Amino acid sequence: MEAVMMNGVNSSLSTHKNVPGPSGIGAINGFHEPTLEELERELPVVYDGQVPLGDLLSRVAQSIYAELCELAETLPNMSDVARKRTMAEWVVKVKKQVVKLYAVVKWARDADTVQKAMNITAFLMNQNQQFLDAINALSYAKESLDPARLRNHDLLTSLDVLTTGSYRRLPTVIKKAIIPTPPLTDDEVSTILIDMEDTIRYRLRMTEIIPVEMSQYRVAHGRVHFHVSKLFEASLCLRGGQKDDGWFFVHAEFLFTVGGDLTGMQEFPRKPSGMMKRHLADEADARLAYYLPLPADQPPPPPGVEVPPRPQLPEGTVDAPLVRVFNFLQMMSISYQLEILCYQAQRMCSLGWADYLKVEMSQDRKSLAVSYWTRKPPPHIPNRPPPQSKLKLPLLGGTLTISIVQHNSNTPGGGPARSAKDRILAQLQERSKLGTEAGFEGGLRPSDGVEGLKFAVKWESMKGALGVVISPEDAVMYEGELAVDPDDLDLESILRKVIEKHTRAILKVFQLQLQRGPVRTVFSPPGEVVLVEDDGLLALQVHLCADEIVIVTIEPRTGKLSLKDTGDLAAAGRGPRFSAISEKLNENPTMLLEALVRLRLNTITDLAEQKANYLGLQSFRHRNFSKEELQKLGPAARGTLYIQLSRFPNHYLVLVITDEEFRYALISVEVLTDTMYANMVMKDIGWLDVKKIHGEDAVVVAPQRIGGEKVERDTERTAATSFNLETQVLRELYAYCCARVAFTRVENQLKLRGIPCTTVMPTRGLYTSNDLAYMQSSLARSVPSLCVQSSDILSGAPAAEAAMPNIRVIPLNWWSDKKAQVVTCVKLKYVQQPMGKRAGSSRIIRPSKRIIYDTTEAVVSFLSENVDKCVDEFLEEWARVSKMVVIAREVAQMAKERQWRDVRLLSFDLQTVEFAYSGDYTVSLTCTDQLSPSGGSYDLRFSRSNCPPMSDHFNPHNDSEPFMRNMLRHGRLTQSLHRLVAQLRDTLPIVVELEAIRRRGETERWNVDTFPKAAGWYRLLYGDLRHALDFRLMSNHRVVILDASHSLFASATQEQTTPNQRSSSRPASLPPSKSTTTTLSHSTYSALVLRPIPGFRDLVQDVVKGIARSGEPIVYGRQQLAAVDVGVVCDVSLVPLVARALHERVVQVLNVGSS
């Protein structure tokens, strides 16, 4: 069924609903109305100023994730207030970003509409340009037609027609032109075409020389159709059926397919039409009729114009019009393809390649040169010489040249390059159609030869492009690699092949420079520098450190180097740094090696600094060291990171970055205050072995001197394989450095005191207590301790003989955020087990914050919180503990050695000794200020034990504590202790009786007071404050009770004076002083002096006699009781009896009770 033509349009192409017609299928109005989708596809696509929403979402997500990671590491080290404030600020900032992003996403809903509007705007702009071109064309036509003039009017013919009604002078040609001839019928047309086809077949097979390249043809519709693969398809027809009738051109179609961007390709149709087809037909007909004579009906030339003679065939030649038309169409097809490639190059310039691409076409339009990676020359300033640059980069990267060249054969006889089969066929054709002698000397030959044309594609890389010279083998592309494919005409793909080849060659040079150049120690290991594909582009992947990788690419369009990371979420903030480095590299590409080394160093430093910040450590990339000082870190040091020890500001953990690994050093610095910039010097340098510290076994070598500087080497370091520094390793290194500094400071204290010490490593059986369990670390076995001899460190200290020979000093708590501590362990020789309520029942006791005692092992651990004063604190604590140990031991032995059965040890916990010295009367001893110049002091606390619940626990000795404690400061401790206990036992009856008298006075309202005057001297003062009794302890357990106004040290003359005279003398109760300058009046002085008790001698006699009459055993010979002039002497056992009786009589004499 055939489609009906309406208004000249084939209805079968219409997409509307067809209406059946008389002959089959109809169409509305006969026109094809395109759909909306087809119209939209015709619109040009414009992306000017638009950013993909996915890139924006990815960038914001990366930034938020990176900040979250940083907060997760840094927040635990902050205080609660700082953590809340930081979190609130971060939430507010991120909220603003997310709100903006939300607004952008909402706007993105209309992105398609905006895109369509932009496309329509571009289409309208193009249409407007077409209107402007049409207007210009019409204006040009108007201006061109103005000079045209019509010929003069034929007045004679007009008169003939007007007068006679006919014409006599009109030419017959006009009649023939106006009156149509009768049309041929279909059968006549079919017969003529069949005859013409037979004539064409005969001519082609018998006489016409057909190029082998055009040997594929078919005869149909009264003409012959020639098909030349990848060049053209053309149809020719004969002018007539005679032998000499020539050929004429009918149509041609160029066999190529345009690839790539098809924008603007409507300007290059495969089937020429209009002016182009007319020009093509005229040129083809001219070549087909080159040797044909002019037709007989050719009008004569104007007068004065001489027609050149027609070219004549040379002798011995046969006209070959098909060869000429083949050569012409071949040239037209190849030139047409070259023009398309040129247009594509210009199109690329308009799409962003303009600044980096240079397109040149030769004058004969047979050669196209495209230069890529072009650079602008440096600006020239008038009257100023051009800058002298050490590196002169070429202004372009390379040139791609596409030329139309002759493709001739190298065989004898020349001609186009053909296969052997095609050459044989051509020769056979000439022999058969030109005669038996054709092709040989003296035979006929064709008038024209076949021209072999082809595209020659040549690539020339510019030497020194991007600062490198590629190898010759990489600068060559073989013929099969670069070729113009008519089935896919795409200059951009050809150019990108060349650029990819050039890029690969340049990156290979960079790779070799990295692996074999000056930085080969860094990038030579396998896998460090490899060529990879990144987003469809060839790239150089460089492994920096750990998991950090940088991608080096060469942008195909611009030829600029670009550095970027692998795009992980935590690296969102590195974009500006890579952009800055890329910008510098494009100014001088030879700096790539230096830039990668520097970037690697910065990346390693960034990672280490980030780990330090996560741990809350203070780090510095640079300190004010001179170059000479930095050389102490070794020639292999490429960079450093200084981590300051918070508890030791003058010490740093230094991360020394070398080409292969981290090296770790512990340094102590000193600031030179006399320099302008407060320069620093390294006093000590200690190298650390991270594997030994982090592992199980650690070996520490004694300090050595190298170059005048003390260098502490733990072990010979082993090479690391990467810079993957774990946070736990850095934490352990930092803690280890704190321990080493604490160790050194303790060692220095010992050396300043002249105490020799040795370094020992902890063993598996090292003593640890539950109280020190919180002070343990996994690195404890890596940190050495000091061992000193007790005879050295305790030389001159009290009770030095109580310690075993070896004393160990161990730093502790250096791994925590708290202050470092030092524990000193001493094993006691003789053990007095702690006892009493303070000692408890546990094996480990802790009597104070700084002392821990293991009762089973007899090990005392002294804990010091000040590393710089740990030795002094130890000696002070040792003096206290050792004295307590000696006191406890002596007290425990008194009952047996001194036969003091009631002396017993009640409590002992290394800090305090409590014992009963008589009955239930107890005393508690502690030591204080043992390192003071005065030799320290003791605190005595008197009390009573085992008393009934309602009874008084008061010990009368409590008032004499200041005098009693001084007794322990004189002489050896054991002797002083025995004297103290004896003094307490002997004075106990005195103080007990005086306390009873005082309490009785309170009950009976006697105004009396008792107080001690010395360790064995007590006074009973009566209410008038002028009379008193003194109780003084004498040797052999005797006590003298005398009138307090009497001085035992007064002379005999003074004793015989009157009371008034004695009152004018210095009283015995006042301390001796230079009183000769005192100018007190007699009355005032008399008021301050004790007066004798009236009749005191008689009172004493009465008391002695009264005790004798009472039946008490009194032996005068043994001096148990004896009266003297001013008092009475008695045994301590008689003090209660004598003191009570004497007091009662004195009260009666003084009338104290009635006052």
Side-chain angles (χ1 to χ4, degrees):
M1 186 179 294
E2 297 180 356
V4 178
M5 298 293 294
M6 292 187 178
N7 295 339
V9 179
N10 189 352
S11 63
S12 62
L13 300 178
S14 176
T15 59
H16 292 273
K17 184 177 180 181
N18 295 326
V19 181
S23 301
I25 300 175
I28 299 176
N29 295 330
F31 289 98
H32 167 66
E33 294 185 4
T35 62
L36 184 61
E37 290 77 10
E38 292 176 345
L39 292 176
E40 290 180 357
R41 284 197 296 269
E42 293 296 329
L43 295 177
V45 181
V46 179
Y47 294 107
D48 186 22
Q50 299 191 76
V51 178
L53 180 62
D55 293 350
L56 184 60
L57 290 172
S58 176
R59 179 62 61 87
V60 174
Q62 288 181 4
S63 178
I64 295 175
Y65 178 79
E67 293 177 1
L68 273 176
C69 291
E70 185 175 354
L71 287 176
E73 295 290 345
T74 56
L75 285 180
N77 298 321
M78 297 182 182
S79 63
D80 184 63
V81 176
R83 184 162 53 247
K84 292 179 180 178
R85 182 176 63 255
T86 303
M87 197 64 190
E89 292 175 354
W90 182 83
V91 169
V92 171
K93 183 181 70 173
V94 172
K95 180 181 178 182
K96 292 180 180 179
Q97 294 181 359
V98 174
V99 168
K100 293 178 182 178
L101 184 62
Y102 176 72
V104 171
V105 173
K106 295 283 285 185
W107 295 340
R109 295 178 178 177
D110 300 328
D112 294 337
T113 305
V114 174
Q115 181 66 52
K116 186 183 300 182
M118 295 177 64
N119 296 344
I120 294 174
T121 302
F123 174 78
L124 294 177
M125 292 177 65
N126 293 337
Q127 192 177 42
N128 185 44
Q129 184 64 37
Q130 294 176 5
F131 288 150
L132 294 177
D133 294 341
I135 293 172
N136 294 333
L138 292 175
S139 299
Y140 174 76
K142 175 180 176 297
E143 295 174 357
S144 300
L145 292 177
D146 281 343
R149 293 291 184 268
L150 295 174
R151 66 187 181 88
N152 296 331
H153 298 286
D154 189 0
L155 297 179
L156 295 178
T157 304
S158 300
L159 292 174
D160 290 342
V161 173
L162 182 60
T163 56
T164 63
S166 180
Y167 62 89
R168 293 178 297 177
R169 300 175 179 86
L170 196 63
T172 57
V173 68
I174 297 177
K175 183 178 181 180
K176 293 180 180 179
I178 295 177
I179 300 175
T181 58
L184 298 176
T185 63
D186 293 341
D187 294 336
E188 292 176 343
V189 172
S190 178
T191 302
I192 293 173
L193 291 179
I194 292 174
D195 294 341
M196 182 58 68
E197 291 174 0
D198 293 339
T199 304
I200 291 173
R201 290 190 185 94
Y202 177 80
R203 292 273 296 267
L204 293 177
R205 293 176 180 175
M206 301 304 295
T207 60
E208 294 292 340
I209 301 299
I210 305 174
V212 177
E213 293 79 5
M214 214 167 60
S215 59
Q216 183 179 357
Y217 62 88
R218 61 185 176 87
V219 179
H221 302 95
R223 52 185 170 173
V224 57
H225 298 266
F226 293 100
H227 180 85
V228 181
S229 177
K230 297 185 179 182
L231 284 178
F232 60 87
E233 181 178 348
S235 63
L236 304 178
C237 186
L238 288 173
R239 296 176 183 269
Q242 301 299 322
K243 181 179 179 180
D244 297 332
D245 290 336
W247 297 86
F248 67 91
F249 177 82
V250 179
H251 99 287
E253 180 182 357
F254 297 107
L255 303 180
F256 60 81
T257 302
V258 179
D261 186 11
L262 300 179
T263 304
M265 287 298 103
Q266 63 272 10
E267 301 294 334
F268 302 94
R270 293 181 50 165
K271 293 182 178 181
S273 60
M275 294 295 297
M276 185 177 179
K277 181 178 180 180
R278 186 181 304 172
H279 171 72
L280 186 64
D282 293 342
E283 290 293 331
D285 290 339
R287 282 166 172 74
L288 289 171
Y290 187 71
Y291 291 110
L292 293 178
L294 293 176
D297 54 355
Q298 179 74 21
V305 177
E306 183 178 356
V307 179
R310 297 288 296 172
Q312 300 295 324
L313 281 171
E315 186 178 355
T317 60
V318 177
D319 189 14
L322 297 183
V323 175
R324 289 194 299 273
V325 78
F326 168 76
N327 293 338
F328 169 69
L329 293 177
Q330 176 185 231
M331 173 58 78
M332 287 299 296
S333 178
I334 295 179
S335 299
Y336 200 17
Q337 296 178 29
L338 185 63
E339 292 294 335
I340 292 174
L341 295 176
C342 181
Y343 176 81
Q344 290 179 338
Q346 295 173 350
R347 176 71 178 173
M348 290 173 63
C349 292
S350 65
L351 295 177
W353 292 66
D355 295 336
Y356 313 102
L357 199 66
K358 182 180 180 182
V359 181
E360 294 178 339
M361 180 71 86
S362 62
Q363 293 183 355
D364 58 358
R365 312 296 291 182
K366 290 185 177 181
S367 179
L368 174 65
V370 180
S371 301
Y372 57 91
W373 295 353
T374 58
R375 294 171 176 262
K376 294 181 180 180
H380 175 65
I381 301 176
N383 302 326
R384 182 177 297 181
Q388 298 294 328
S389 177
K390 296 182 180 179
L391 179 65
K392 294 183 179 180
L393 295 176
L395 297 180
L396 52 90
T399 303
L400 175 66
T401 305
I402 303 176
S403 304
I404 301 175
V405 297
Q406 292 284 343
H407 187 48
N408 295 326
S409 175
N410 296 326
T411 59
R418 293 170 174 168
S419 63
K421 177 182 177 182
D422 291 341
R423 287 199 302 270
I424 297 299
L425 291 177
Q427 293 175 5
L428 292 176
Q429 179 185 208
E430 292 180 3
R431 289 180 184 180
S432 62
K433 293 181 180 180
L434 299 181
T436 56
E437 301 298 328
F440 297 93
E441 185 177 354
L444 299 177
R445 63 180 184 276
S447 59
D448 298 274
V450 178
E451 298 177 356
L453 300 179
K454 70 170 185 175
F455 282 118
V457 185
K458 182 180 180 182
W459 169 52
E460 296 178 353
S461 62
M462 187 59 62
K463 184 178 181 181
L466 295 185
V468 297
V469 179
I470 62 177
S471 60
E473 57 272 15
D474 290 332
V476 176
M477 293 191 73
Y478 299 102
E479 185 176 358
E481 296 182 84
L482 280 184
V484 178
D485 186 7
D487 295 331
D488 185 15
L489 288 178
D490 189 2
L491 179 70
E492 184 176 358
S493 65
I494 300 175
L495 184 61
R496 286 188 178 274
K497 287 182 181 179
V498 171
I499 293 176
E500 181 181 358
K501 179 75 172 182
H502 200 176
T503 300
R504 182 181 295 274
I506 292 175
L507 293 180
K508 284 177 62 178
V509 174
F510 284 142
Q511 183 182 18
L512 290 176
Q513 290 177 353
L514 289 172
Q515 293 180 337
R516 302 179 185 178
V519 295
R520 59 181 177 274
T521 56
V522 179
F523 300 107
S524 59
E528 292 293 310
V529 183
V530 293
L531 289 173
V532 295
E533 291 282 342
D534 181 67
D535 294 336
L537 298 178
L538 192 66
L540 192 65
Q541 178 178 291
V542 182
H543 177 236
L544 298 179
C545 65
D547 298 331
E548 298 298 324
I549 295 175
V550 63
I551 304 296
V552 182
T553 59
I554 300 177
E555 213 283 321
R557 179 175 60 92
T558 63
K560 292 183 177 181
L561 290 169
S562 176
L563 272 66
K564 64 177 182 179
D565 55 8
T566 53
D568 57 337
L569 290 176
R574 301 177 188 169
R577 175 188 295 179
F578 284 102
S579 299
I581 296 175
S582 300
E583 184 177 353
K584 293 294 182 181
L585 282 178
N586 290 313
E587 295 177 1
N588 185 2
T590 58
M591 295 175 56
L592 178 62
L593 273 67
E594 179 183 354
L596 287 176
V597 173
R598 188 176 302 172
L599 179 62
R600 175 178 180 268
L601 178 62
N602 290 336
T603 304
I604 295 172
T605 308
D606 287 344
L607 292 177
E609 191 174 29
Q610 187 182 37
K611 298 295 177 60
N613 293 335
Y614 288 165
L615 295 176
L617 307 179
Q618 182 69 31
S619 61
F620 306 89
R621 295 198 178 192
H622 304 283
R623 293 274 77 186
N624 202 10
F625 293 115
S626 61
K627 293 183 178 180
E628 293 76 11
E629 289 295 320
L630 292 176
Q631 291 177 357
K632 295 179 181 179
L633 298 177
R638 300 292 180 263
T640 53
L641 182 66
Y642 302 90
I643 300 177
Q644 189 176 30
L645 306 185
S646 60
R647 294 187 289 271
F648 309 103
N650 292 331
H651 291 77
Y652 292 86
L653 167 62
V654 185
L655 275 63
V656 182
I657 303 172
T658 64
D659 291 338
E660 298 87 3
E661 61 176 353
F662 277 123
R663 293 186 64 193
Y664 306 94
L666 173 62
I667 66 173
S668 63
V669 301
E670 180 181 1
V671 180
L672 303 179
T673 57
D674 54 345
T675 58
M676 180 180 299
Y677 301 105
N679 294 339
M680 293 182 176
V681 295
M682 299 182 190
K683 295 174 59 179
D684 295 335
I685 304 177
W687 294 102
L688 310 177
D689 189 344
V690 64
K691 290 189 175 181
K692 294 296 180 63
I693 294 173
H694 190 58
E696 289 293 329
D697 299 321
V699 180
V700 178
V701 183
Q704 303 175 357
R705 292 273 177 181
I706 298 181
E709 291 289 337
K710 181 173 134 182
V711 180
E712 235 176 43
R713 295 189 179 273
D714 287 349
T715 54
E716 294 294 332
R717 66 178 178 86
T718 57
T721 58
S722 67
F723 288 89
N724 190 8
L725 179 62
E726 297 180 359
T727 306
Q728 179 63 24
V729 175
L730 183 59
R731 180 187 289 111
E732 292 181 355
L733 283 173
Y734 180 83
Y736 180 81
C737 290
C738 293
R740 293 292 298 180
V741 174
F743 173 87
T744 305
R745 293 200 172 187
V746 174
E747 185 182 23
N748 291 337
Q749 293 180 59
L750 296 175
K751 290 182 178 179
L752 288 176
R753 294 174 175 268
I755 301 174
C757 58
T758 57
T759 302
V760 296
M761 295 304 300
T763 59
R764 297 186 181 275
L766 180 64
Y767 157 75
T768 56
S769 65
N770 294 331
D771 294 279
L772 293 178
Y774 72 99
M775 295 184 178
Q776 298 303 314
S777 170
S778 59
L779 297 178
R781 289 176 44 78
S782 302
V783 179
S785 59
L786 292 171
C787 182
V788 297
Q789 296 297 313
S790 60
S791 58
D792 297 327
I793 193 172
L794 299 179
S795 177
E801 68 280 358
M804 295 294 284
N806 294 329
I807 296 178
R808 178 169 292 181
V809 184
I810 307 171
L812 286 180
N813 209 28
W814 34 264
W815 52 85
S816 67
D817 297 333
K818 302 177 182 179
K819 292 184 63 176
Q821 298 176 343
V822 177
V823 62
T824 305
C825 301
V826 181
K827 188 175 180 62
L828 301 178
K829 284 184 178 179
Y830 42 81
V831 180
Q832 173 60 51
Q833 293 294 338
M835 57 186 301
K837 58 183 179 180
R838 294 184 180 179
S841 59
S842 174
R843 180 177 69 92
I844 305 298
I845 64 172
R846 189 166 188 174
S848 68
K849 184 179 180 180
R850 299 194 298 185
I851 297 178
I852 301 171
Y853 182 52
D854 187 342
T855 58
T856 304
E857 301 292 336
V859 175
V860 185
S861 300
F862 299 89
L863 188 63
S864 175
E865 295 184 352
N866 191 340
V867 177
D868 296 328
K869 296 182 180 179
C870 64
V871 176
D872 293 338
E873 292 182 358
F874 162 70
L875 293 177
E876 179 180 359
E877 293 294 337
W878 169 255
R880 180 183 296 114
V881 170
S882 61
K883 288 181 180 181
M884 292 297 101
V885 172
V886 172
I887 291 173
R889 182 191 62 184
E890 292 298 326
V891 170
Q893 296 176 357
M894 282 182 181
K896 181 178 180 180
E897 294 180 357
R898 301 293 295 270
Q899 300 300 319
W900 293 340
R901 301 299 180 185
D902 51 353
V903 176
R904 63 188 184 279
L905 185 63
L906 301 178
S907 175
F908 169 57
D909 61 357
L910 299 182
Q911 289 289 95
T912 304
V913 175
E914 184 178 5
F915 62 92
Y917 54 86
S918 178
D920 59 353
Y921 291 91
T922 64
V923 62
S924 174
L925 278 74
T926 58
C927 302
T928 58
D929 301 331
Q930 295 303 305
L931 295 183
S932 63
S934 60
S937 62
Y938 296 86
D939 288 337
L940 280 68
R941 297 289 181 268
F942 292 94
S943 63
R944 299 181 66 181
S945 62
N946 300 326
C947 294
M950 301 302 294
S951 62
D952 190 3
H953 290 263
F954 178 73
N955 190 332
H957 269 132
N958 191 54
D959 294 337
S960 60
E961 188 270 342
F963 305 104
M964 294 297 181
R965 65 185 179 188
N966 288 333
M967 296 181 63
L968 295 174
R969 299 177 59 184
H970 302 286
R972 296 187 61 184
L973 180 60
T974 55
Q975 298 175 358
S976 301
L977 180 64
H978 283 271
R979 287 198 303 269
L980 173 64
V981 175
Q983 187 86 349
L984 291 174
R985 293 174 61 85
D986 290 342
T987 58
L988 180 62
I990 300 174
V991 296
V992 170
E993 186 60 30
L994 290 178
E995 178 65 17
I997 292 172
R998 186 187 64 78
R999 292 189 177 185
R1000 182 181 175 187
E1002 291 178 355
T1003 304
E1004 299 181 3
R1005 296 186 178 181
W1006 294 343
N1007 191 6
V1008 295
D1009 190 17
T1010 60
F1011 55 89
K1013 296 284 288 181
W1017 182 4
Y1018 297 87
R1019 174 165 290 177
L1020 175 61
L1021 183 64
Y1022 292 96
D1024 58 358
L1025 303 180
R1026 294 186 179 183
H1027 301 87
L1029 290 177
D1030 277 352
F1031 296 79
R1032 291 196 177 216
L1033 182 65
M1034 300 177 64
S1035 60
N1036 297 323
H1037 309 286
R1038 295 174 302 162
V1039 177
V1040 57
I1041 305 175
L1042 69 159
D1043 188 352
S1045 64
H1046 175 74
S1047 175
L1048 295 180
F1049 306 100
S1051 62
T1053 305
Q1054 293 174 335
E1055 291 293 331
Q1056 295 175 0
T1057 59
T1058 62
N1060 292 334
Q1061 292 174 339
R1062 191 164 56 247
S1063 65
S1064 64
S1065 64
R1066 178 170 182 81
S1069 61
L1070 294 178
S1073 64
K1074 296 181 180 181
S1075 60
T1076 57
T1077 59
T1078 306
T1079 57
L1080 297 175
S1081 64
H1082 179 74
S1083 60
T1084 304
Y1085 194 78
S1086 299
L1088 298 176
V1089 176
L1090 294 176
R1091 295 182 181 182
I1093 300 174
F1096 184 71
R1097 180 178 298 182
D1098 297 334
L1099 296 178
V1100 171
Q1101 294 295 334
D1102 291 342
V1103 169
V1104 172
K1105 293 178 181 180
I1107 294 175
R1109 287 194 299 269
S1110 65
E1112 293 292 336
I1114 302 174
V1115 182
Y1116 292 98
R1118 295 178 60 184
Q1119 298 182 351
Q1120 289 187 349
L1121 179 65
V1124 294
D1125 293 340
V1126 292
V1128 60
V1129 177
C1130 65
D1131 191 84
V1132 293
S1133 61
L1134 297 178
V1135 169
L1137 183 63
V1138 175
R1140 189 180 309 110
L1142 186 59
H1143 166 67
E1144 292 176 353
R1145 286 169 174 77
V1146 171
V1147 169
Q1148 294 176 1
V1149 171
L1150 298 179
N1151 296 322
V1152 176
S1154 61
S1155 59

